[in-house]
Short mmCIF file of all heavy atoms in Angstrom, two decimals:
data_model
loop_
_atom_site.label_atom_id
_atom_site.label_comp_id
_atom_site.label_asym_id
_atom_site.label_seq_id
_atom_site.Cartn_x
_atom_site.Cartn_y
_atom_site.Cartn_z
N THR A 26 -9.31 29.42 -27.59
CA THR A 26 -10.42 29.77 -28.67
C THR A 26 -11.20 31.01 -28.25
O THR A 26 -11.27 31.29 -27.01
CB THR A 26 -11.40 28.72 -28.85
OG1 THR A 26 -12.01 28.46 -27.61
CG2 THR A 26 -10.69 27.40 -29.31
N ARG A 27 -11.71 31.67 -29.17
CA ARG A 27 -12.54 32.95 -28.93
C ARG A 27 -13.96 32.52 -28.74
O ARG A 27 -14.37 31.64 -29.57
CB ARG A 27 -12.30 33.86 -30.08
CG ARG A 27 -10.87 34.26 -30.32
CD ARG A 27 -10.69 35.22 -31.34
NE ARG A 27 -11.24 36.53 -31.03
CZ ARG A 27 -11.20 37.64 -31.72
NH1 ARG A 27 -10.75 37.60 -32.87
NH2 ARG A 27 -11.65 38.72 -31.22
N PRO A 28 -14.70 33.28 -28.04
CA PRO A 28 -16.14 32.82 -27.84
C PRO A 28 -16.87 33.25 -29.03
O PRO A 28 -16.45 34.16 -29.87
CB PRO A 28 -16.52 33.77 -26.57
CG PRO A 28 -15.57 34.64 -26.48
CD PRO A 28 -14.21 34.17 -26.98
N ALA A 29 -18.02 32.67 -29.26
CA ALA A 29 -18.89 32.96 -30.37
C ALA A 29 -19.49 34.55 -30.20
O ALA A 29 -19.56 34.94 -29.21
CB ALA A 29 -20.09 32.06 -30.51
N VAL A 30 -19.56 35.12 -31.40
CA VAL A 30 -20.10 36.55 -31.47
C VAL A 30 -21.50 36.32 -31.95
O VAL A 30 -21.81 35.84 -33.11
CB VAL A 30 -19.22 37.42 -32.28
CG1 VAL A 30 -19.77 38.81 -32.44
CG2 VAL A 30 -17.74 37.56 -31.74
N VAL A 31 -22.38 37.04 -31.30
CA VAL A 31 -23.81 37.09 -31.71
C VAL A 31 -24.08 38.33 -32.34
O VAL A 31 -23.82 39.50 -31.65
CB VAL A 31 -24.81 36.75 -30.61
CG1 VAL A 31 -26.29 36.93 -31.00
CG2 VAL A 31 -24.50 35.44 -30.00
N LEU A 32 -24.57 38.65 -33.61
CA LEU A 32 -24.90 39.77 -34.00
C LEU A 32 -26.42 39.93 -34.16
O LEU A 32 -27.09 39.16 -34.82
CB LEU A 32 -24.32 39.92 -35.49
CG LEU A 32 -24.74 41.10 -36.39
CD1 LEU A 32 -24.30 42.44 -35.75
CD2 LEU A 32 -24.18 41.01 -37.89
N ASP A 33 -26.95 41.01 -33.64
CA ASP A 33 -28.37 41.26 -33.76
C ASP A 33 -28.50 42.69 -34.43
O ASP A 33 -28.49 43.59 -33.69
CB ASP A 33 -28.94 41.22 -32.31
CG ASP A 33 -30.50 41.34 -32.39
OD1 ASP A 33 -31.13 41.32 -33.41
OD2 ASP A 33 -31.19 41.30 -31.30
N PRO A 34 -28.82 42.72 -35.71
CA PRO A 34 -28.96 43.93 -36.38
C PRO A 34 -30.18 44.75 -36.19
O PRO A 34 -30.27 45.96 -36.63
CB PRO A 34 -28.69 43.51 -37.86
CG PRO A 34 -29.26 42.10 -37.96
CD PRO A 34 -28.94 41.53 -36.62
N PHE A 35 -31.19 44.09 -35.55
CA PHE A 35 -32.48 44.78 -35.30
C PHE A 35 -32.73 44.53 -33.79
O PHE A 35 -33.57 43.83 -33.31
CB PHE A 35 -33.58 44.07 -36.07
CG PHE A 35 -33.31 44.24 -37.61
CD1 PHE A 35 -32.85 43.13 -38.24
CD2 PHE A 35 -33.49 45.47 -38.13
CE1 PHE A 35 -32.69 43.37 -39.68
CE2 PHE A 35 -33.29 45.52 -39.50
CZ PHE A 35 -32.81 44.55 -40.26
N GLY A 36 -31.78 45.02 -32.97
CA GLY A 36 -31.56 44.67 -31.55
C GLY A 36 -32.84 44.96 -30.64
O GLY A 36 -33.04 44.19 -29.54
N GLY A 37 -33.55 45.90 -30.88
CA GLY A 37 -34.70 46.24 -30.16
C GLY A 37 -34.48 46.44 -28.67
O GLY A 37 -33.55 47.18 -28.30
N SER A 38 -35.17 45.74 -27.76
CA SER A 38 -34.95 45.92 -26.33
C SER A 38 -33.74 45.12 -25.77
O SER A 38 -33.51 45.12 -24.59
CB SER A 38 -36.22 45.54 -25.58
OG SER A 38 -36.53 44.27 -25.81
N GLY A 39 -33.05 44.35 -26.57
CA GLY A 39 -31.83 43.91 -26.09
C GLY A 39 -31.80 42.40 -25.71
O GLY A 39 -30.98 41.87 -25.04
N THR A 40 -32.79 41.68 -25.84
CA THR A 40 -33.05 40.32 -25.33
C THR A 40 -31.87 39.47 -25.80
O THR A 40 -31.30 38.70 -25.16
CB THR A 40 -34.43 39.76 -25.74
OG1 THR A 40 -35.39 40.53 -25.20
CG2 THR A 40 -34.56 38.31 -25.18
N THR A 41 -31.64 39.49 -27.21
CA THR A 41 -30.66 38.56 -27.70
C THR A 41 -29.26 38.87 -27.05
O THR A 41 -28.48 38.00 -26.71
CB THR A 41 -30.46 38.72 -29.20
OG1 THR A 41 -31.78 38.51 -29.82
CG2 THR A 41 -29.43 37.91 -29.91
N ALA A 42 -28.81 40.28 -26.97
CA ALA A 42 -27.62 40.61 -26.48
C ALA A 42 -27.57 40.33 -24.88
O ALA A 42 -26.51 39.91 -24.48
CB ALA A 42 -27.33 42.15 -26.64
N LEU A 43 -28.70 40.43 -24.27
CA LEU A 43 -28.75 39.98 -22.88
C LEU A 43 -28.45 38.65 -22.65
O LEU A 43 -27.68 38.25 -21.71
CB LEU A 43 -30.13 40.46 -22.43
CG LEU A 43 -30.50 39.91 -20.74
CD1 LEU A 43 -29.70 40.69 -19.86
CD2 LEU A 43 -31.95 40.04 -20.64
N VAL A 44 -29.08 37.70 -23.30
CA VAL A 44 -28.84 36.29 -23.19
C VAL A 44 -27.49 35.88 -23.64
O VAL A 44 -26.80 35.03 -22.96
CB VAL A 44 -30.00 35.46 -23.97
CG1 VAL A 44 -29.65 33.99 -24.06
CG2 VAL A 44 -31.35 35.83 -23.36
N ALA A 45 -26.94 36.50 -24.75
CA ALA A 45 -25.62 36.25 -25.11
C ALA A 45 -24.68 36.46 -24.04
O ALA A 45 -23.68 35.82 -23.61
CB ALA A 45 -25.24 37.02 -26.37
N ARG A 46 -24.79 37.65 -23.50
CA ARG A 46 -23.81 38.04 -22.36
C ARG A 46 -23.98 37.18 -21.10
O ARG A 46 -23.07 36.79 -20.55
CB ARG A 46 -24.24 39.52 -21.87
CG ARG A 46 -23.37 39.94 -20.71
CD ARG A 46 -23.87 41.41 -20.30
NE ARG A 46 -23.53 41.67 -18.90
CZ ARG A 46 -22.53 42.43 -18.57
NH1 ARG A 46 -21.91 43.10 -19.42
NH2 ARG A 46 -22.37 42.74 -17.29
N ALA A 47 -25.28 36.79 -20.83
CA ALA A 47 -25.48 35.87 -19.65
C ALA A 47 -24.83 34.59 -19.94
O ALA A 47 -24.41 33.90 -18.99
CB ALA A 47 -26.97 35.81 -19.47
N LEU A 48 -24.73 34.12 -21.16
CA LEU A 48 -23.92 32.90 -21.55
C LEU A 48 -22.62 33.02 -21.85
O LEU A 48 -21.98 31.96 -22.27
CB LEU A 48 -24.78 32.18 -22.70
CG LEU A 48 -26.38 31.84 -22.38
CD1 LEU A 48 -27.03 31.27 -23.68
CD2 LEU A 48 -26.41 31.00 -21.24
N GLY A 49 -21.99 34.06 -21.57
CA GLY A 49 -20.65 34.31 -21.67
C GLY A 49 -20.24 34.52 -23.16
O GLY A 49 -19.09 34.32 -23.61
N ARG A 50 -21.13 34.85 -24.01
CA ARG A 50 -20.84 35.23 -25.48
C ARG A 50 -20.64 36.67 -25.64
O ARG A 50 -20.98 37.46 -24.74
CB ARG A 50 -21.97 34.73 -26.35
CG ARG A 50 -22.45 33.30 -26.16
CD ARG A 50 -21.39 32.35 -26.73
NE ARG A 50 -21.97 31.07 -26.86
CZ ARG A 50 -22.14 30.11 -25.99
NH1 ARG A 50 -21.94 30.51 -24.71
NH2 ARG A 50 -22.60 28.86 -26.23
N GLN A 51 -20.02 36.95 -26.68
CA GLN A 51 -19.79 38.38 -27.13
C GLN A 51 -21.21 38.69 -28.03
O GLN A 51 -21.71 37.78 -28.75
CB GLN A 51 -18.57 38.63 -27.96
CG GLN A 51 -17.46 38.54 -27.12
CD GLN A 51 -16.11 38.91 -27.96
OE1 GLN A 51 -16.19 38.94 -29.16
NE2 GLN A 51 -15.00 39.10 -27.38
N ALA A 52 -21.63 39.94 -27.92
CA ALA A 52 -22.74 40.26 -28.84
C ALA A 52 -22.61 41.78 -29.20
O ALA A 52 -22.04 42.56 -28.67
CB ALA A 52 -24.01 40.25 -27.90
N ILE A 53 -23.14 41.89 -30.52
CA ILE A 53 -23.05 43.15 -31.10
C ILE A 53 -24.51 43.54 -31.29
O ILE A 53 -25.23 42.80 -32.10
CB ILE A 53 -22.26 43.24 -32.40
CG1 ILE A 53 -20.94 43.00 -32.09
CG2 ILE A 53 -22.46 44.63 -33.09
CD1 ILE A 53 -20.02 42.63 -33.34
N HIS A 54 -25.04 44.45 -30.67
CA HIS A 54 -26.50 44.85 -30.73
C HIS A 54 -26.48 46.21 -31.51
O HIS A 54 -25.86 47.19 -31.18
CB HIS A 54 -27.02 45.16 -29.24
CG HIS A 54 -28.17 45.76 -29.15
ND1 HIS A 54 -29.37 45.04 -28.83
CD2 HIS A 54 -28.67 47.05 -29.22
CE1 HIS A 54 -30.46 45.77 -28.71
NE2 HIS A 54 -29.96 47.03 -28.89
N VAL A 55 -27.30 46.14 -32.52
CA VAL A 55 -27.53 47.37 -33.32
C VAL A 55 -29.00 47.73 -33.43
O VAL A 55 -29.82 46.88 -33.63
CB VAL A 55 -26.89 47.14 -34.83
CG1 VAL A 55 -27.13 48.34 -35.73
CG2 VAL A 55 -25.56 46.79 -34.75
N ASP A 56 -29.35 49.09 -33.37
CA ASP A 56 -30.69 49.56 -33.51
C ASP A 56 -30.72 50.98 -33.93
O ASP A 56 -29.92 51.74 -33.45
CB ASP A 56 -31.59 49.26 -32.20
CG ASP A 56 -33.10 49.24 -32.55
OD1 ASP A 56 -33.63 50.32 -32.88
OD2 ASP A 56 -33.59 48.19 -32.58
N ALA A 57 -31.58 51.38 -34.80
CA ALA A 57 -31.74 52.74 -35.26
C ALA A 57 -32.27 53.64 -34.21
O ALA A 57 -32.08 54.75 -34.31
CB ALA A 57 -32.54 52.69 -36.62
N SER A 58 -33.00 53.19 -33.38
CA SER A 58 -33.70 53.94 -32.31
C SER A 58 -32.82 54.20 -31.11
O SER A 58 -32.41 53.14 -30.40
CB SER A 58 -34.96 53.30 -31.94
OG SER A 58 -35.53 53.90 -30.81
N ARG A 59 -32.51 55.41 -30.84
CA ARG A 59 -31.79 55.71 -29.62
C ARG A 59 -32.62 55.34 -28.37
O ARG A 59 -32.04 54.90 -27.24
CB ARG A 59 -31.57 57.27 -29.46
CG ARG A 59 -30.38 57.56 -30.39
CD ARG A 59 -30.16 58.98 -30.37
NE ARG A 59 -29.11 59.29 -31.39
CZ ARG A 59 -28.29 60.33 -31.36
NH1 ARG A 59 -28.39 61.26 -30.46
NH2 ARG A 59 -27.45 60.55 -32.30
N ASP A 60 -34.03 55.45 -28.37
CA ASP A 60 -34.71 54.87 -27.33
C ASP A 60 -34.53 53.45 -26.94
O ASP A 60 -34.39 53.04 -25.80
CB ASP A 60 -36.23 55.32 -27.54
CG ASP A 60 -36.52 56.83 -27.46
OD1 ASP A 60 -35.79 57.51 -26.78
OD2 ASP A 60 -37.54 57.24 -28.19
N TYR A 61 -34.62 52.73 -28.02
CA TYR A 61 -34.40 51.28 -27.86
C TYR A 61 -32.98 50.90 -27.39
O TYR A 61 -32.70 50.00 -26.54
CB TYR A 61 -34.76 50.53 -29.10
CG TYR A 61 -36.15 50.07 -29.22
CD1 TYR A 61 -37.02 50.55 -30.21
CD2 TYR A 61 -36.63 49.16 -28.24
CE1 TYR A 61 -38.29 50.23 -30.25
CE2 TYR A 61 -38.07 48.73 -28.34
CZ TYR A 61 -38.81 49.41 -29.38
OH TYR A 61 -40.12 49.07 -29.38
N LEU A 62 -31.93 51.73 -27.88
CA LEU A 62 -30.58 51.53 -27.41
C LEU A 62 -30.46 51.81 -25.93
O LEU A 62 -29.77 51.09 -25.22
CB LEU A 62 -29.61 52.45 -28.15
CG LEU A 62 -29.31 51.98 -29.57
CD1 LEU A 62 -28.43 53.05 -30.30
CD2 LEU A 62 -28.53 50.62 -29.60
N ARG A 63 -31.12 52.94 -25.46
CA ARG A 63 -31.11 53.27 -23.93
C ARG A 63 -31.84 52.13 -23.26
O ARG A 63 -31.40 51.71 -22.14
CB ARG A 63 -31.81 54.53 -23.71
CG ARG A 63 -30.81 55.77 -24.02
CD ARG A 63 -31.38 57.06 -23.54
NE ARG A 63 -32.68 57.42 -24.27
CZ ARG A 63 -32.65 58.15 -25.30
NH1 ARG A 63 -31.48 58.59 -25.87
NH2 ARG A 63 -33.79 58.58 -25.82
N LEU A 64 -32.98 51.66 -23.65
CA LEU A 64 -33.63 50.53 -22.95
C LEU A 64 -32.81 49.29 -22.88
O LEU A 64 -32.57 48.64 -21.96
CB LEU A 64 -34.89 50.21 -23.72
CG LEU A 64 -35.76 49.01 -23.19
CD1 LEU A 64 -36.16 49.24 -21.81
CD2 LEU A 64 -36.96 48.80 -24.19
N ALA A 65 -32.18 48.92 -24.05
CA ALA A 65 -31.28 47.71 -24.01
C ALA A 65 -30.12 47.80 -23.13
O ALA A 65 -29.74 46.93 -22.42
CB ALA A 65 -30.87 47.47 -25.55
N GLU A 66 -29.57 49.06 -23.06
CA GLU A 66 -28.38 49.23 -22.22
C GLU A 66 -28.83 49.09 -20.68
O GLU A 66 -28.16 48.43 -20.01
CB GLU A 66 -27.82 50.66 -22.45
CG GLU A 66 -26.64 51.01 -21.58
CD GLU A 66 -26.08 52.35 -21.85
OE1 GLU A 66 -26.86 53.30 -22.30
OE2 GLU A 66 -24.92 52.49 -21.76
N TRP A 67 -30.01 49.57 -20.34
CA TRP A 67 -30.53 49.45 -19.05
C TRP A 67 -30.73 47.95 -18.71
O TRP A 67 -30.39 47.47 -17.72
CB TRP A 67 -31.81 50.31 -18.89
CG TRP A 67 -32.37 49.91 -17.49
CD1 TRP A 67 -32.07 50.45 -16.25
CD2 TRP A 67 -33.55 49.00 -17.27
NE1 TRP A 67 -32.88 49.94 -15.34
CE2 TRP A 67 -33.79 49.16 -15.88
CE3 TRP A 67 -34.29 48.29 -18.15
CZ2 TRP A 67 -34.83 48.35 -15.27
CZ3 TRP A 67 -35.27 47.55 -17.54
CH2 TRP A 67 -35.57 47.56 -16.17
N ARG A 68 -31.42 47.22 -19.66
CA ARG A 68 -31.70 45.82 -19.49
C ARG A 68 -30.48 45.06 -19.36
O ARG A 68 -30.47 44.14 -18.55
CB ARG A 68 -32.60 45.22 -20.54
CG ARG A 68 -34.09 45.74 -20.58
CD ARG A 68 -34.80 45.03 -21.61
NE ARG A 68 -35.08 43.67 -21.13
CZ ARG A 68 -35.10 42.68 -21.91
NH1 ARG A 68 -35.16 42.71 -23.22
NH2 ARG A 68 -35.40 41.42 -21.49
N ILE A 69 -29.38 45.41 -20.10
CA ILE A 69 -28.28 44.47 -20.25
C ILE A 69 -27.37 44.69 -19.02
O ILE A 69 -26.89 43.89 -18.34
CB ILE A 69 -27.64 44.72 -21.52
CG1 ILE A 69 -28.42 44.23 -22.53
CG2 ILE A 69 -26.23 43.97 -21.45
CD1 ILE A 69 -28.04 44.63 -23.97
N PHE A 70 -27.18 45.94 -18.60
CA PHE A 70 -26.14 46.33 -17.62
C PHE A 70 -26.59 46.63 -16.31
O PHE A 70 -25.91 46.52 -15.28
CB PHE A 70 -25.36 47.49 -18.09
CG PHE A 70 -24.64 47.25 -19.40
CD1 PHE A 70 -24.87 47.83 -20.69
CD2 PHE A 70 -23.54 46.21 -19.48
CE1 PHE A 70 -24.15 47.54 -21.71
CE2 PHE A 70 -22.94 45.95 -20.58
CZ PHE A 70 -23.19 46.68 -21.71
N THR A 71 -27.98 47.04 -16.11
CA THR A 71 -28.37 47.60 -14.84
C THR A 71 -29.56 46.81 -14.21
O THR A 71 -29.55 46.75 -12.98
CB THR A 71 -28.78 49.12 -14.96
OG1 THR A 71 -27.87 49.76 -15.63
CG2 THR A 71 -29.11 49.75 -13.75
N SER A 72 -30.45 46.30 -14.99
CA SER A 72 -31.82 45.79 -14.56
C SER A 72 -31.79 44.54 -13.75
O SER A 72 -32.64 44.35 -12.90
CB SER A 72 -32.72 45.63 -15.73
OG SER A 72 -32.38 44.53 -16.51
N GLY A 73 -30.64 43.69 -13.96
CA GLY A 73 -30.72 42.51 -13.24
C GLY A 73 -31.36 41.37 -13.94
O GLY A 73 -31.39 40.05 -13.56
N HIS A 74 -31.79 41.67 -15.19
CA HIS A 74 -32.27 40.49 -15.93
C HIS A 74 -31.46 39.33 -16.21
O HIS A 74 -31.86 38.22 -16.40
CB HIS A 74 -32.87 41.14 -17.35
CG HIS A 74 -34.13 41.82 -17.18
ND1 HIS A 74 -34.21 43.26 -16.92
CD2 HIS A 74 -35.43 41.42 -17.25
CE1 HIS A 74 -35.44 43.56 -16.95
NE2 HIS A 74 -36.25 42.51 -17.17
N GLU A 75 -30.20 39.74 -16.28
CA GLU A 75 -29.14 38.64 -16.66
C GLU A 75 -29.17 37.61 -15.65
O GLU A 75 -29.09 36.37 -15.78
CB GLU A 75 -27.71 39.39 -16.70
CG GLU A 75 -26.57 38.41 -17.00
CD GLU A 75 -25.21 38.92 -17.15
OE1 GLU A 75 -25.12 40.13 -16.68
OE2 GLU A 75 -24.35 38.33 -17.67
N ARG A 76 -29.31 37.90 -14.30
CA ARG A 76 -29.43 36.89 -13.29
C ARG A 76 -30.63 36.14 -13.38
O ARG A 76 -30.55 34.94 -13.15
CB ARG A 76 -29.24 37.55 -11.91
CG ARG A 76 -28.03 38.31 -11.66
CD ARG A 76 -27.88 38.73 -10.20
NE ARG A 76 -28.79 39.80 -9.91
CZ ARG A 76 -28.64 41.14 -10.18
NH1 ARG A 76 -27.45 41.52 -10.74
NH2 ARG A 76 -29.39 41.98 -9.99
N ARG A 77 -31.67 36.71 -13.85
CA ARG A 77 -32.89 35.85 -14.00
C ARG A 77 -32.74 34.94 -15.21
O ARG A 77 -33.18 33.73 -15.10
CB ARG A 77 -34.07 36.81 -14.19
CG ARG A 77 -34.51 37.45 -12.92
CD ARG A 77 -35.81 38.37 -13.12
NE ARG A 77 -35.30 39.64 -12.56
CZ ARG A 77 -35.77 40.80 -12.96
NH1 ARG A 77 -36.67 40.98 -13.93
NH2 ARG A 77 -35.26 41.92 -12.47
N VAL A 78 -32.24 35.32 -16.15
CA VAL A 78 -31.97 34.40 -17.35
C VAL A 78 -31.07 33.22 -16.92
O VAL A 78 -31.52 32.06 -17.23
CB VAL A 78 -31.19 35.23 -18.58
CG1 VAL A 78 -30.78 34.21 -19.59
CG2 VAL A 78 -32.22 36.22 -19.19
N LEU A 79 -30.05 33.46 -16.18
CA LEU A 79 -29.23 32.43 -15.69
C LEU A 79 -29.83 31.54 -14.72
O LEU A 79 -29.72 30.33 -14.73
CB LEU A 79 -27.80 32.93 -15.14
CG LEU A 79 -27.00 33.54 -16.20
CD1 LEU A 79 -25.81 34.29 -15.57
CD2 LEU A 79 -26.46 32.36 -17.06
N ALA A 80 -30.68 32.05 -13.82
CA ALA A 80 -31.38 31.33 -12.93
C ALA A 80 -32.20 30.34 -13.54
O ALA A 80 -32.51 29.14 -13.17
CB ALA A 80 -32.20 32.20 -12.01
N ARG A 81 -32.91 30.70 -14.59
CA ARG A 81 -33.76 29.93 -15.41
C ARG A 81 -33.16 28.74 -16.10
O ARG A 81 -33.60 27.61 -16.23
CB ARG A 81 -34.77 30.69 -16.42
CG ARG A 81 -35.66 31.58 -15.80
CD ARG A 81 -36.47 32.34 -16.76
NE ARG A 81 -37.37 33.11 -16.15
CZ ARG A 81 -37.91 34.34 -16.74
NH1 ARG A 81 -37.71 34.41 -18.04
NH2 ARG A 81 -38.79 35.09 -16.03
N SER A 82 -31.89 29.13 -16.49
CA SER A 82 -31.12 28.11 -17.31
C SER A 82 -30.38 27.17 -16.44
O SER A 82 -29.92 26.06 -16.85
CB SER A 82 -30.02 28.77 -18.14
OG SER A 82 -29.03 29.41 -17.36
N GLY A 83 -30.11 27.53 -15.17
CA GLY A 83 -29.42 26.60 -14.24
C GLY A 83 -27.90 26.73 -14.39
O GLY A 83 -27.16 25.93 -13.71
N LEU A 84 -27.45 27.69 -15.10
CA LEU A 84 -26.01 27.87 -15.40
C LEU A 84 -25.36 28.71 -14.43
O LEU A 84 -26.15 29.71 -13.76
CB LEU A 84 -25.78 28.44 -16.77
CG LEU A 84 -26.09 27.56 -17.93
CD1 LEU A 84 -26.11 28.42 -19.25
CD2 LEU A 84 -25.28 26.39 -18.06
N PRO A 85 -24.17 28.68 -14.10
CA PRO A 85 -23.44 29.64 -13.11
C PRO A 85 -23.38 30.99 -13.78
O PRO A 85 -23.37 31.09 -14.92
CB PRO A 85 -22.12 29.05 -12.96
CG PRO A 85 -21.84 28.19 -14.16
CD PRO A 85 -23.12 27.64 -14.59
N VAL A 86 -23.31 31.95 -12.90
CA VAL A 86 -23.24 33.40 -13.36
C VAL A 86 -21.85 33.84 -13.59
O VAL A 86 -21.08 33.93 -12.79
CB VAL A 86 -23.92 34.34 -12.25
CG1 VAL A 86 -23.97 35.83 -12.78
CG2 VAL A 86 -25.28 33.99 -11.93
N PRO A 87 -21.63 33.87 -14.96
CA PRO A 87 -20.22 34.44 -15.27
C PRO A 87 -20.11 35.94 -15.16
O PRO A 87 -21.19 36.70 -15.19
CB PRO A 87 -20.10 34.09 -16.78
CG PRO A 87 -21.51 34.11 -17.31
CD PRO A 87 -22.34 33.69 -16.18
N VAL A 88 -18.82 36.46 -14.91
CA VAL A 88 -18.76 37.92 -14.93
C VAL A 88 -17.88 38.41 -16.08
O VAL A 88 -16.66 38.50 -15.86
CB VAL A 88 -18.11 38.26 -13.51
CG1 VAL A 88 -18.12 39.80 -13.32
CG2 VAL A 88 -19.00 37.64 -12.41
N PRO A 89 -18.55 38.59 -17.18
CA PRO A 89 -17.69 39.03 -18.27
C PRO A 89 -17.38 40.52 -18.32
O PRO A 89 -18.11 41.20 -17.52
CB PRO A 89 -18.62 38.87 -19.61
CG PRO A 89 -19.99 38.90 -18.88
CD PRO A 89 -19.86 38.36 -17.54
N PRO A 90 -16.25 41.01 -18.89
CA PRO A 90 -15.92 42.34 -18.71
C PRO A 90 -16.92 43.16 -19.58
O PRO A 90 -17.47 42.72 -20.41
CB PRO A 90 -14.51 42.47 -19.33
CG PRO A 90 -14.50 41.26 -20.14
CD PRO A 90 -15.28 40.21 -19.55
N VAL A 91 -17.00 44.46 -19.05
CA VAL A 91 -18.02 45.42 -19.79
C VAL A 91 -17.06 46.50 -20.34
O VAL A 91 -16.26 47.05 -19.83
CB VAL A 91 -19.04 45.90 -18.59
CG1 VAL A 91 -19.86 47.04 -19.38
CG2 VAL A 91 -19.72 44.98 -18.01
N ILE A 92 -17.55 46.71 -21.64
CA ILE A 92 -16.98 47.93 -22.40
C ILE A 92 -17.80 49.07 -22.07
O ILE A 92 -18.99 49.14 -22.42
CB ILE A 92 -16.85 47.71 -23.77
CG1 ILE A 92 -15.82 46.46 -24.01
CG2 ILE A 92 -16.18 48.90 -24.51
CD1 ILE A 92 -15.80 45.91 -25.35
N ASP A 93 -17.19 50.09 -21.38
CA ASP A 93 -18.21 51.29 -21.20
C ASP A 93 -18.28 52.30 -22.13
O ASP A 93 -17.37 52.39 -23.02
CB ASP A 93 -17.59 52.00 -19.78
CG ASP A 93 -17.55 51.17 -18.56
OD1 ASP A 93 -18.62 50.49 -18.38
OD2 ASP A 93 -16.66 51.35 -17.83
N GLY A 94 -19.44 52.84 -22.16
CA GLY A 94 -19.62 54.08 -23.08
C GLY A 94 -19.77 53.87 -24.46
O GLY A 94 -19.53 54.67 -25.43
N GLN A 95 -20.25 52.60 -24.87
CA GLN A 95 -20.50 52.30 -26.33
C GLN A 95 -21.98 52.16 -26.59
O GLN A 95 -22.66 51.43 -26.15
CB GLN A 95 -19.71 51.04 -26.71
CG GLN A 95 -18.27 51.18 -26.65
CD GLN A 95 -17.64 50.13 -27.33
OE1 GLN A 95 -18.23 49.31 -28.04
NE2 GLN A 95 -16.27 49.92 -27.23
N LEU A 96 -22.50 53.25 -27.26
CA LEU A 96 -23.87 53.16 -27.71
C LEU A 96 -24.31 52.02 -28.51
O LEU A 96 -25.44 51.62 -28.50
CB LEU A 96 -24.27 54.54 -28.40
CG LEU A 96 -24.49 55.86 -27.50
CD1 LEU A 96 -24.72 56.92 -28.41
CD2 LEU A 96 -25.41 55.52 -26.48
N SER A 97 -23.38 51.45 -29.31
CA SER A 97 -23.69 50.31 -30.17
C SER A 97 -24.00 49.06 -29.23
O SER A 97 -24.43 48.06 -29.68
CB SER A 97 -22.72 50.02 -31.12
OG SER A 97 -21.45 49.52 -30.44
N LEU A 98 -23.64 49.14 -28.00
CA LEU A 98 -23.63 48.03 -26.99
C LEU A 98 -22.87 46.75 -27.30
O LEU A 98 -23.53 45.69 -27.42
CB LEU A 98 -25.20 47.67 -26.76
CG LEU A 98 -26.08 48.70 -26.09
CD1 LEU A 98 -27.39 48.31 -25.88
CD2 LEU A 98 -25.29 49.07 -24.72
N GLU A 99 -21.82 47.12 -27.88
CA GLU A 99 -20.87 45.93 -28.21
C GLU A 99 -20.43 45.33 -26.91
O GLU A 99 -19.83 45.99 -26.12
CB GLU A 99 -19.73 46.29 -28.98
CG GLU A 99 -18.81 45.22 -29.35
CD GLU A 99 -17.64 45.66 -30.18
OE1 GLU A 99 -17.74 46.61 -31.01
OE2 GLU A 99 -16.61 44.96 -30.16
N ILE A 100 -20.86 44.14 -26.67
CA ILE A 100 -20.59 43.47 -25.40
C ILE A 100 -19.49 42.50 -25.42
O ILE A 100 -19.60 41.59 -26.25
CB ILE A 100 -21.99 42.80 -24.90
CG1 ILE A 100 -23.00 43.80 -24.89
CG2 ILE A 100 -21.81 42.21 -23.42
CD1 ILE A 100 -24.34 43.32 -24.68
N ALA A 101 -18.48 42.63 -24.52
CA ALA A 101 -17.44 41.70 -24.60
C ALA A 101 -17.54 40.79 -23.39
O ALA A 101 -18.05 41.13 -22.40
CB ALA A 101 -16.13 42.39 -24.54
#
């Protein structure tokens, strides 16, 4: 089966996409602001927030593949 896809049409700082990725889901993050897209990209891929989300949930840390170079932050 395919994992659930989470669509966040007003993505902002990327919290929904971050949690979806942490839980092994696919997420499509959309925002009109390039500044928010850059912030979300940093939070999701670089900041380490994903580990903190998983630590709070008590779930093991999955390592989903990353699709590089997509400003829409489509996360697989």
Side-chain angles (χ1 to χ4, degrees):
T26 63
R27 299 179 76 180
V30 176
V31 177
L32 172 63
D33 189 359
F35 304 100
S38 62
T40 302
T41 300
L43 172 72
V44 173
R46 176 184 157 107
L48 298 176
R50 307 291 195 278
Q51 292 182 342
I53 300 171
H54 170 100
V55 180
D56 201 286
S58 166
R59 288 184 182 196
D60 290 335
Y61 272 113
L62 286 173
R63 281 191 294 270
L64 173 61
E66 183 175 30
W67 173 79
R68 285 188 73 212
I69 294 165
F70 298 113
T71 308
S72 71
H74 282 91
E75 181 179 14
R76 288 186 298 277
R77 285 182 234 152
V78 167
L79 288 170
R81 290 180 186 162
S82 72
L84 296 171
V86 179
V88 184
V91 175
I92 299 173
D93 292 324
Q95 292 193 8
L96 284 179
S97 66
L98 293 181
E99 182 177 333
I100 303 167

